[in-house]
Amino acid sequence: MPDKSYQVVCTGLWVGEEQDWDQSTPSDEYYLVITTMVRDSKGVLAQKTVTVPGAGEFESMDTGDWKKFEVLCWDGPMNRFGTFTQLYESDEGQKKENRKLINDAATQVVQLGTGTIPEGLQKLSTDIFMKLLDLDDDMIDAQVTRVFNSAATEKLVNSPQKKSVPEGIPYRFRTDHWGGGGRVRMYYDIRPS
């Protein structure tokens, strides 16, 4: 009998507590990296990784704020599955701009002294300054959901969909993320493809 096909969908985010410290901005700017790992009945492992959300979608998140959305994390046959979710806070939402400024400054300084800078050394110096100045994005937390075998997946799919209170975000399972004094809850649904 072939494996059934399901969709795993990230359906929303709720901020229970904002982080204690957030660089120079008064709010948190979250994003997630979600990897869905599935195994079929023949033992073949597959995975799909998505980044949620698009740029700027979760800017200015404060305690009590929430977002309802749908991001497809998996669509296809599976016998069992699990998710690995990494929650990040984008420092000032300017990681790329900070990296470019440091890279340009390092290039100018080195060119004044030697005239050229090898590409590998330029990237290394930029990486070092980003770490020293703590300008990289901060990983708040990483969570692995328990692995749902075929019976548990079927039970989950056939269970009534829940709604978060008071946000009304539909879900069948969720993950809680704690770090930096903050607390964020992610919601997921699973349904037949």
Side-chain angles (χ1 to χ4, degrees), residues 102-144:
I102 290 170
N103 189 49
D104 291 350
T107 300
Q108 289 177 7
V109 167
V110 171
Q111 285 177 344
L112 285 173
T114 65
T116 62
I117 180 171
E119 188 175 321
L121 183 58
Q122 185 172 354
K123 181 185 178 322
L124 179 62
S125 65
T126 300
D127 290 345
I128 290 169
F129 278 110
M130 290 290 287
K131 290 287 183 207
L132 286 173
L133 298 174
D134 192 26
L135 296 174
D136 271 331
D137 293 349
D138 299 321
M139 184 186 343
I140 296 171
D141 188 39
Q143 288 287 325
V144 176

Side-chain angles (χ1 to χ4, degrees), residues 133-175:
L133 298 174
D134 192 26
L135 296 174
D136 271 331
D137 293 349
D138 299 321
M139 184 186 343
I140 296 171
D141 188 39
Q143 288 287 325
V144 176
T145 63
R146 69 183 177 91
V147 174
F148 294 91
N149 64 23
S150 59
T153 299
E154 193 68 27
K155 183 177 179 181
L156 193 61
V157 167
N158 291 317
S159 67
Q161 193 179 59
K162 302 170 188 169
K163 299 265 187 196
S164 65
V165 178
E167 309 85 21
I169 299 170
Y171 73 99
R172 286 197 169 84
F173 67 100
R174 66 186 192 204
T175 57

Side-chain angles (χ1 to χ4, degrees), residues 1 3 15 30 36 45 47 51 53 57 59 107 141 176 180:
M1 183 168 148
D3 292 325
V15 180
Y30 295 111
T36 304
L45 183 66
Q47 70 181 42
T51 301
E57 196 171 325
E59 294 289 321
T107 300
D141 188 39
D176 289 310

Side-chain angles (χ1 to χ4, degrees), residues 69-124:
F69 53 85
E70 284 210 0
V71 173
L72 187 62
C73 300
W74 177 262
D75 187 3
M78 70 169 87
N79 182 269
R80 63 186 68 166
F81 83 98
T83 60
F84 177 64
T85 305
Q86 298 167 288
L87 177 67
Y88 289 88
E89 200 280 323
S90 178
D91 286 334
E92 300 180 43
Q94 298 182 16
K95 182 178 175 181
K96 287 182 184 173
E97 292 85 351
N98 291 338
R99 180 169 286 283
K100 182 175 178 351
L101 284 171
I102 290 170
N103 189 49
D104 291 350
T107 300
Q108 289 177 7
V109 167
V110 171
Q111 285 177 344
L112 285 173
T114 65
T116 62
I117 180 171
E119 188 175 321
L121 183 58
Q122 185 172 354
K123 181 185 178 322
L124 179 62

